[in-house]
Amino acid sequence: MTQPKTIGIVGARGHTGQELIRLVAAHPGLELAFVSSRELDGQRVADHNDGFAGELRFESLDADAVAAKGADAVILALPNGKAAPFVAATDGAKPDTVIVDLSADYRFDAGWYYGLPELTRAQYAGQRRISNPGCYATAMQLAIAPLVEHLAGPPQCFGVSGYSGAGTTPSDKNDAALLADNLMPYALTNHVHEREVSKQLSLPVEFMPHVAPHFRGITMTVNLWLSAPMSRDAVKALYEARYADEPLVEVIDDAPWVSRIAGRHGAQIGAFTMAPGNGRVVVVATLDNLLKGAATQAMQNLNLALGFDELTSIPH
């Protein structure tokens, strides 16, 4: 029997880290070698995660300690701006380690593969450094990509996320009391995901993010001006053709609801509502920001890099 590939998670205390632990635990070809968390140092992983069994404990590991573990793959689930020391240490100790970085730190680095499999899989050529897309950015790109060749101007994207997207460090954006009966706009121009999507799709995109009182899930409502009028059927057919072979992207007729995507590993795209004259269409995409927006996508990328079927351990 082939030896399982070893994997470590850095930043495992966060919401995404917990989802990653579940996905790795369910994977027949992966073994969780270490989980690093300063706050949970010494505590059993199984006491904090219902998807994991065993005696493995959280450790507080700096970059050199992570590199010294010599794992086959490392997932960095850290806040923006924290990845570089871990990448540098791993480059020095074991450069063939697969690193999947969930932060924005390498999304603009041409030396890294940008892993949104449904759109960039053909560009994967064995790279060991993989940048995981942002959650909002995944929803935007899936909603816009089939129409890129037919657009007359920048897509306008109104995004709403559950507060788990704001992480576990206390802030206004994850304060349940402040969010109650509220919708909180923020970073209304030049958001990092606006820049990310504009770069990936090679067209300017306008994005206005908001946080809502629900815990998980993103709704992305996208307004698209067309270069020539199209029928609703023709628009929807472009999406159905683009995602026909993608088990994690479901094209539906109605506008999808975030309550129906929470806890699921894929995305839904629907609505396809035409304005009078058929020169403008509104498309709605939903996904779980912790899953297809983060952990599920990281597992797709890991499977691709380590030679497994892309959907191994991902319910679909």
Side-chain angles (χ1 to χ4, degrees):
M1 186 177 159
T2 45
Q3 282 289 98
K5 302 279 189 183
T6 56
I7 180 168
I9 301 172
V10 182
R13 180 179 78 100
H15 302 309
T16 299
Q18 293 296 328
E19 297 292 354
L20 284 164
I21 290 169
R22 287 190 188 92
L23 285 168
V24 173
H27 197 298
L30 293 180
E31 177 187 320
L32 197 55
F34 67 87
V35 282
S36 176
S37 168
R38 210 171 46 242
E39 293 88 347
L40 300 178
D41 186 23
Q43 301 180 42
R44 290 175 71 243
V45 175
D47 291 342
H48 291 269
N49 194 297
D50 56 10
F52 186 83
E55 293 305 312
L56 188 69
R57 292 177 181 269
F58 291 99
E59 301 174 81
S60 180
L61 303 171
D62 64 13
D64 289 332
V66 166
K69 293 279 189 181
D72 295 310
V74 174
I75 301 178
L76 301 178
L78 294 164
N80 291 343
K82 306 282 189 189
F86 294 91
V87 174
T90 304
D91 282 346
K94 191 172 181 268
D96 65 336
T97 302
V98 173
I99 299 178
V100 179
D101 178 36
L102 272 68
S103 79
D105 292 8
Y106 294 95
R107 291 181 196 149
F108 300 88
D109 187 326
W112 284 57
Y113 165 70
Y114 180 84
L116 205 175
E118 289 78 9
L119 301 182
T120 67
R121 191 184 293 119
Q123 293 155 36
Y124 185 73
Q127 296 95 325
R128 313 304 276 176
R129 301 287 177 267
I130 299 172
S131 181
N132 220 56
C135 50
Y136 279 130
T138 297
M140 277 190 271
Q141 287 174 82
L142 291 174
I144 297 167
L147 276 176
V148 163
E149 305 300 317
H150 302 273
L151 296 179
Q156 295 101 28
C157 306
F158 183 94
V160 180
S161 177
Y163 63 86
S164 59
T168 52
T169 303
S171 73
D172 285 358
K173 297 200 293 287
N174 57 21
D175 184 320
L178 292 177
L179 284 165
D181 304 317
N182 193 12
L183 189 65
M184 201 177 281
Y186 69 101
L188 294 170
T189 65
N190 202 39
H191 187 287
V192 64
H193 291 172
E194 178 178 279
R195 301 197 303 275
E196 176 183 343
V197 175
S198 297
K199 176 180 186 290
Q200 291 299 323
L201 296 182
S202 300
L203 81 166
V205 172
E206 299 165 0
F207 171 49
M208 296 145 287
H210 299 70
V211 181
H214 60 274
F215 178 67
R216 60 197 302 160
I218 280 174
T219 300
M220 186 63 62
T221 302
V222 183
N223 184 63
L224 299 150
W225 287 93
L226 303 173
S227 53
M230 293 176 71
S231 70
R232 182 184 192 272
D233 287 349
V235 170
K236 189 181 176 195
L238 287 173
Y239 285 79
E240 290 173 332
R242 183 65 177 264
Y243 299 125
D245 299 320
E246 299 297 346
L248 295 185
V249 181
E250 183 185 7
V251 177
I252 65 174
D253 205 50
D254 296 329
W257 291 1
V258 73
S259 58
R260 292 174 177 160
I261 206 74
R264 292 175 57 187
H265 291 268
Q268 287 190 324
I269 305 173
F272 308 112
T273 304
M274 309 305 300
N278 286 359
R280 176 170 74 93
V281 61
V282 178
V283 176
V284 179
T286 57
L287 53 78
D288 188 313
N289 53 296
L290 302 178
L291 296 176
K292 182 56 181 158
T296 303
Q297 195 133 270
M299 182 55 73
Q300 287 178 271
N301 286 321
L302 266 182
N303 281 330
L304 198 60
L306 295 174
F308 299 108
D309 181 276
E310 191 184 295
L311 297 178
T312 306
S313 93
I314 299 170
H316 59 282

